[in-house]
Amino acid sequence: DMFKKSKDEIMDILDLPYWCNTKYIPLLSKDIWNRTSDEIIEILDLPYWDDTSYVHLLTNKIWKNPASKIVSVINIPYFNDPKYPHLQHLLVPSLFDKSVDNITGMIELFIEYKIDGFLKMTVLGKSVDLMRILFEIFTKNDIPLVENGILNNKLFYSKVELKEKLGIDIDKSIAKRKAKKLTNC
């Protein structure tokens, strides 16, 4: 918050040379005041911002994450692998709101089930373990994961809808999975 910074800290940020470049002006937002001038420099000095593949990620949302997280997300191997160009659409500013483990886990789950072309940002907010359980149940019960060229919307049913409409008790399935893991110790 700007009001929690000293005058010198504010001036350090405002005196940074980046603000002479129109590319960086939109980044002067309320969220920038949650960062120190050193953190701002570290983020803006990342090599990605001169690359057209990544410059669209440079929005005021960038201040919500440290440089290390930005680097970790951008460097998820699937985004730079020529076998997965269809995953590039996931590189949007809100991707930084997700954990690297969840992003990677979800991508790997979709690749495992050979439906990685249907992965959307909305799915990345879901639990990988829950999606894995649903994929297993759907596959076992011949419920398609993809219908009419899109991810089956039944995968996004609430627990109540899963039980009432499909007869799937997700809590029971989770409990069984946990019990199975415990017996494998």
Side-chain angles (χ1 to χ4, degrees):
D1 188 300
M2 181 176 161
F3 299 108
K4 293 180 183 170
K5 293 204 176 288
S6 71
K7 177 185 173 198
D8 289 340
E9 289 173 311
I10 292 169
M11 292 312 297
D12 284 347
I13 291 171
L14 292 175
D15 287 340
L16 291 172
Y18 304 99
W19 315 131
C20 295
N21 183 332
T22 57
K23 171 169 77 175
Y24 297 111
I25 298 289
L27 302 177
L28 279 169
S29 67
K30 64 179 176 71
D31 293 322
I32 199 169
W33 305 110
N34 296 323
R35 296 276 162 219
T36 65
S37 60
D38 288 341
E39 291 170 324
I40 293 167
I41 291 167
E42 186 178 10
I43 290 170
L44 295 181
D45 279 351
L46 291 173
Y48 309 107
W49 313 136
D50 291 324
D51 184 329
T52 56
S53 301
Y54 304 109
V55 73
H56 68 281
L57 299 173
L58 194 58
T59 70
N60 60 355
K61 283 184 170 265
I62 209 83
W63 304 127
K64 294 181 180 182
N65 298 283
S68 59
K69 168 101 185 258
I70 295 164
V71 169
S72 295
V73 169
I74 290 175
N75 286 334
I76 289 174
Y78 299 101
F79 295 137
N80 300 305
D81 190 325
K83 289 190 292 193
Y84 304 104
H86 53 280
L87 295 176
Q88 287 289 316
H89 76 277
L90 298 174
L91 278 171
V92 296
S94 60
L95 187 64
F96 297 116
D97 297 339
K98 317 292 184 227
S99 80
V100 172
D101 288 342
N102 208 69
I103 297 166
T104 305
M106 200 62 81
I107 290 171
E108 289 170 353
L109 176 64
F110 274 64
I111 289 171
E112 177 184 336
Y113 279 85
K114 297 177 178 31
I115 58 169
D116 44 298
F118 299 95
L119 186 56
K120 304 285 181 231
M121 275 301 298
T122 53
V123 178
L124 295 178
K126 306 279 183 203
S127 157
V128 175
D129 291 335
L130 177 60
M131 290 302 283
R132 178 172 295 286
I133 290 169
L134 286 172
F135 282 15
E136 289 170 1
I137 292 170
F138 276 45
T139 304
K140 182 179 157 191
N141 292 295
D142 293 321
I143 302 170
L145 299 175
V146 174
E147 279 189 324
N148 302 318
I150 59 169
L151 207 54
N152 190 333
N153 68 347
K154 294 174 185 122
L155 289 165
F156 303 102
Y157 278 2
S158 68
K159 290 178 181 183
V160 172
E161 289 175 309
L162 284 167
K163 192 167 189 168
E164 288 177 358
K165 294 180 180 181
L166 300 176
I168 296 171
D169 186 339
I170 198 67
D171 288 328
K172 191 174 181 180
S173 296
I174 291 169
K176 278 184 186 177
R177 180 178 270 266
K178 284 181 182 176
K180 186 177 178 184
K181 281 184 180 180
L182 288 175
T183 59
N184 289 339
C185 292

